[in-house]
């Protein structure tokens, strides 16, 4: 059913029509490795929460786009985060228009529950080696950001 509310691999223009400032606001800084060689480290995906009033659907929507070089673990983490954000919207825990809080709260859920989720998958025999995870369709985009 995620096909109704989840879009994976949206282009940069689709996910950030307002430009660079919007992109920067969607990037999630990793706490575990806040800085490597003086450079901030970010998750290898961006997630945008769209409310039902924006989308015209009862479920709202989540746009999830991965950066070039995202690993299989990054793909699973991004998908987990998307489902957590959707649950936050569905449960109406937050004001519908508070998309930033929904994204941040669902990221906190992801950080706290992801290790247990990964262990659960491994215990159930999921193949977790490189190349086994695919969540993107053929028309998906990956973003590449270069320093200028």
């Amino acid at each position: 059913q995620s096909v109704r509310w989840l879009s994976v691999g949206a282009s940069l223009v689709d996910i950030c029509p307002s430009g660079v400032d919007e992109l920067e606001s969607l990037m999630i800084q990793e706490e575990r490795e806040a800085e490597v060689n003086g450079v901030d480290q970010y998750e290898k995906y961006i997630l945008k929460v769209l409310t039902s009033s924006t989308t015209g659907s009862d479920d709202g929507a989540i746009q999830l786009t991965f950066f070039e070089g995202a690993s299989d673990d990054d793909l699973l983490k991004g998908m987990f985060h998307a489902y957590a954000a959707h649950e936050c919207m569905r449960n109406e825990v937050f004001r519908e228009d508070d998309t930033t809080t929904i994204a941040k709260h669902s990221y906190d859920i992801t950080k706290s529950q992801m290790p247990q989720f990964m262990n659960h998958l491994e215990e159930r025999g999921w193949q977790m080696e490189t190349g086994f995870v695919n969540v993107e369709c053929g028309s998906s985009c990956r973003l590449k950001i270069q320093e200028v």
Side-chain angles (χ1 to χ4, degrees), residues 87-106:
E87 279 301 306
C88 287
M89 284 194 304
R90 283 188 49 210
N91 293 331
E92 299 177 11
V93 174
F94 304 99
R95 283 190 1 252
E96 190 204 70
D97 62 341
D98 198 357
T99 57
T100 302
T101 302
I102 291 169
K104 286 180 181 175
H105 181 73
S106 57

Side-chain angles (χ1 to χ4, degrees), residues 59-77:
D59 284 337
I62 305 290
Q63 289 179 319
L64 175 64
T65 300
F66 295 96
F67 289 107
E68 185 176 78
S71 68
D72 290 358
D73 286 350
D74 296 322
L75 298 178
L76 289 170
K77 188 174 191 177

Side-chain angles (χ1 to χ4, degrees), residues 7 10 24 40 49 65 68 70-71 73 91 101-102 112-113 117 120 124 134 136 140 142-143 145-146 148:
S7 167
E24 287 177 345
D40 288 337
V49 176
T65 300
E68 185 176 78
S71 68
D73 286 350
N91 293 331
T101 302
I102 291 169
S112 69
Q113 294 183 8
F117 175 69
H120 187 77
R124 301 289 184 284
N134 184 14
E136 300 162 301
S140 294
R142 286 228 180 164
L143 303 179
I145 298 177
Q146 298 178 356
V148 197

Side-chain angles (χ1 to χ4, degrees), residues 39-86:
V39 178
D40 288 337
Q41 297 298 302
Y42 294 90
E43 292 293 351
K44 300 292 189 270
Y45 64 89
I46 53 176
L47 181 136
K48 183 174 184 178
V49 176
L50 302 167
T51 63
S52 59
S53 61
T54 304
T55 64
S57 78
D58 291 339
D59 284 337
I62 305 290
Q63 289 179 319
L64 175 64
T65 300
F66 295 96
F67 289 107
E68 185 176 78
S71 68
D72 290 358
D73 286 350
D74 296 322
L75 298 178
L76 289 170
K77 188 174 191 177
M79 290 297 289
F80 192 100
H81 187 180
Y83 276 84
H86 184 250

Side-chain angles (χ1 to χ4, degrees), residues 18-19 24 30 56 60 63 75-77 87-88 92 95 103 105 109 111 118-119 122 125 128 132 136-137 139 141 147:
S18 299
E24 287 177 345
E30 292 181 298
Q63 289 179 319
L75 298 178
L76 289 170
K77 188 174 191 177
E87 279 301 306
C88 287
E92 299 177 11
R95 283 190 1 252
H105 181 73
I109 291 170
K111 286 190 313 186
M118 295 296 284
N119 287 337
E122 288 178 23
M128 305 300 284
F132 278 96
E136 300 162 301
C137 68
S139 62
C141 295
E147 286 189 51

